[in-house]
Amino acid sequence: MFGYDDFLKFIQAFFVVYPVVTLIHLLGHIFFAGIFGGRGIRVIIGTGKILFSMRFLEVRRFYFWYGGCEFSALKYSNKLTKSLIFLGGSIFNIGSIFIVNYLIQLGILDASMLWYQFVYFSFYYVFFALLPMDMADGTLSDGKAMYKLWFNKNKDDSSADCQLIDEEKK
């Protein structure tokens, strides 16, 4: 039966944990884009009207749904560097899972529903990011974008949440 406590867990999961997992995923993409000389780096959390923007971070009204990142002009641009950018989000999510589990083992963090939700949504994010599929809007998952990159079929070197922006079109 779905009770009051479950409702609070739901609120925590979808309005706190999931946006944090999304941010970690996007920071993974941006980390690798930055290493390989990407400029114009921007992280967008959510969808809808802009709530606030600072430096490279933009938070939108529905901060708990969706996210994306943008960058332009990679200094080092080849299949390997672009693959690491596509994999970066999942690498960061998997790394965060190991860190949380390690901190729980050390007794620094308590094993709680919060961390269970964090690990659950991190696995969820990794699974659907790496699953090679087309999204409903025609964009590609990170896995499909990387697959098409290696077979010279990813025309714009972008995935659903990681966009390489052409500076001339800005």
Side-chain angles (χ1 to χ4, degrees):
M1 177 111 176
F2 193 81
Y4 180 74
D5 287 344
D6 296 316
F7 181 73
L8 292 178
K9 290 173 190 169
F10 168 82
I11 297 296
Q12 172 183 284
F14 287 101
F15 297 107
V16 178
V17 176
Y18 191 68
V20 169
V21 169
T22 299
L23 180 61
I24 290 169
H25 185 85
L26 297 174
L27 290 175
H29 290 307
I30 292 304
F31 174 79
F32 285 100
I35 284 177
F36 301 125
R39 292 183 305 186
I41 291 175
R42 192 166 75 126
V43 174
I44 303 153
I45 299 295
T47 188
K49 291 183 180 180
I50 298 172
L51 282 178
F52 66 89
S53 181
M54 55 187 203
R55 296 192 76 184
F56 70 92
L57 178 66
E58 181 177 290
V59 178
R60 295 182 176 233
R61 179 182 292 165
F62 302 106
Y63 70 92
F64 51 87
W65 182 250
Y66 195 64
C69 59
E70 299 175 345
F71 60 92
S72 61
L74 290 174
K75 184 175 181 182
Y76 305 101
S77 181
N78 57 52
K79 288 181 180 179
L80 179 61
T81 60
K82 291 174 185 174
S83 293
L84 285 170
I85 292 169
F86 288 137
L87 288 172
S90 293
I91 290 169
F92 269 46
N93 287 132
I94 291 168
S96 69
I97 290 168
F98 281 113
I99 290 168
V100 164
N101 280 320
Y102 184 67
L103 293 174
I104 290 170
Q105 272 187 337
L106 292 176
I108 295 171
L109 297 176
D110 292 329
S112 68
M113 182 55 70
L114 173 73
W115 300 118
Y116 173 83
Q117 291 171 339
F118 179 84
V119 169
Y120 174 85
F121 279 118
S122 295
F123 272 119
Y124 172 91
Y125 223 101
V126 169
F127 178 80
F128 285 107
L130 295 180
L131 188 66
M133 64 181 183
D134 297 312
M135 302 298 188
D137 64 357
T139 58
L140 309 173
S141 69
D142 295 335
K144 181 91 178 243
M146 193 170 65
Y147 171 82
K148 289 184 103 173
L149 170 72
W150 282 92
F151 288 97
N152 299 316
K153 295 180 179 180
N154 191 344
K155 295 177 179 68
D156 61 0
D157 293 330
S158 295
S159 68
D161 63 353
C162 185
Q163 305 290 316
L164 177 60
I165 303 298
D166 186 358
E167 287 186 321
E168 295 172 9
K169 293 181 181 177
K170 274 186 157 180

